[in-house]
């Protein structure tokens, strides 16, 4: 009787608890189930499949032994050999064309990426200069305001009643390129 109970405990995974069949409804749920299965036994090795190698045709032979001539009397099997060689050569040419197209697309993509980076750097530089200019203007305005406040405080405390001349804010000169060098039709 003890043997029978032991056998019953081993069969069908009853000893580990009943496992229910779960059908994943989407990719995220499927991934979650796979991760849960892997994490049940973290000490177990996990084999990660490597990316399959890209198919590449065999290089053409340097020395061809079975040269087919155009002489009469060629056997019926020669046509099948020719057909096989022709198919292999067409596949090799197609592979080389696809490789050339892929190479050209990669170069075009890299060129576009570099162009986008350069344009982004130019925009960033322009905006950085604009921010710096605004920051300098704020600092200058703050200094002028402080000086005016000091002068106002100084004039209120002074008994002479003299008003000091207002400090002028230095204005930025407009670029010469913005001003017209000549006026057309002017009087």
């Amino acid at each position: 009787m003890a043997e029978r109970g032991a056998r019953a405990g081993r069969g069908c995974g009853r000893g580990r608890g009943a496992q229910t069949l779960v059908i994943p409804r989407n990719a995220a749920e499927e991934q979650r189930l796979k991760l849960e299965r892997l994490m049940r036994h973290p000490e177990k090795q996990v084999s990660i499949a490597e990316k399959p190698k890209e198919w590449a045709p065999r290089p053409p032979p340097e020395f061809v032994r079975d040269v087919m001539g155009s002489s009469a009397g060629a056997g019926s099997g020669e046509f099948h050999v020719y057909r096989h060689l022709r198919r292999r050569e067409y596949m090799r040419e197609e592979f080389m064309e696809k490789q050339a197209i892929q190479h050209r697309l990669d170069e075009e993509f890299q060129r576009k990426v570099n162009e986008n980076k350069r344009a982004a750097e130019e925009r960033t530089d322009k905006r950085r200069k604009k921010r710096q200019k605004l920051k300098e203007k704020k600092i200058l305005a703050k200094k002028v305001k402080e000086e005016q406040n000091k002068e106002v405080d100084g004039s209120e405390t002074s008994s002479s009643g003299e008003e000091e001349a207002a400090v002028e804010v230095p204005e930025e000169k407009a670029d010469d390129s913005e001003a017209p060098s000549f006026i057309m039709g002017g009087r």
Side-chain angles (χ1 to χ4, degrees):
M1 183 87 177
E3 287 180 14
R4 192 172 180 196
R7 285 185 190 160
R10 278 187 286 173
C12 299
R14 289 186 191 122
R16 291 183 283 164
Q19 293 182 353
T20 59
L21 177 65
V22 179
I23 299 172
R25 293 188 180 99
N26 55 25
E29 195 170 322
E30 182 179 354
Q31 190 173 18
R32 182 182 57 81
L33 291 172
K34 286 181 180 179
L35 282 172
E36 285 177 358
R37 190 181 76 222
L38 286 172
M39 294 308 291
R40 274 188 226 136
H41 306 286
E43 68 280 352
K44 187 177 177 182
Q45 289 288 333
V46 178
S47 62
I48 299 173
E50 293 183 16
K51 183 180 177 184
K53 293 181 180 177
E54 188 175 306
W55 178 83
R58 291 190 307 196
E62 290 185 22
F63 183 77
V64 180
R65 286 175 174 46
D66 300 323
V67 177
M68 287 179 274
S70 59
S71 63
S76 61
E78 297 296 318
F79 174 71
H80 300 292
V81 173
Y82 164 74
R83 191 177 61 179
H84 180 68
L85 290 173
R86 183 183 63 180
R87 182 179 55 83
R88 194 178 330 163
E89 181 63 18
Y90 284 161
M91 286 175 62
R92 189 178 72 85
E93 287 176 0
E94 184 180 344
F95 174 77
M96 290 187 329
E97 287 173 3
K98 284 182 181 177
Q99 221 175 15
I101 290 170
Q102 187 64 35
H103 183 69
R104 187 170 32 105
L105 289 174
D106 288 345
E107 284 180 350
E108 187 177 324
F109 175 75
Q110 287 301 322
R111 183 186 54 78
K112 208 172 220 180
V113 165
N114 291 337
E115 187 178 311
N116 288 344
K117 280 184 184 178
R118 185 183 49 77
E121 287 175 5
E122 287 175 2
R123 285 193 306 269
T124 304
D125 264 356
K126 187 176 179 182
R127 291 175 182 162
R128 183 184 303 121
K129 287 177 184 176
K130 189 174 181 180
R131 284 192 307 269
Q132 190 65 28
K133 198 174 182 181
L134 289 173
K135 188 176 178 181
E136 289 172 2
K137 280 186 179 180
K138 280 185 179 180
I139 291 171
L140 186 63
K142 191 174 182 181
K143 285 182 182 178
V144 169
K145 191 173 183 180
E146 287 176 2
E147 288 177 8
Q148 286 178 351
N149 287 342
K150 285 181 185 177
E151 289 174 7
V152 170
D153 291 342
S155 65
E156 288 177 0
T157 58
S158 67
S159 59
S160 63
E162 295 180 14
E163 292 185 22
E164 296 180 17
V167 177
E168 293 182 21
V169 179
E171 295 182 17
E172 291 186 24
K173 283 189 170 182
D175 290 339
D176 291 338
S177 62
E178 293 177 9
S181 59
F182 64 92
I183 300 173
M184 292 177 55
R187 293 185 186 181

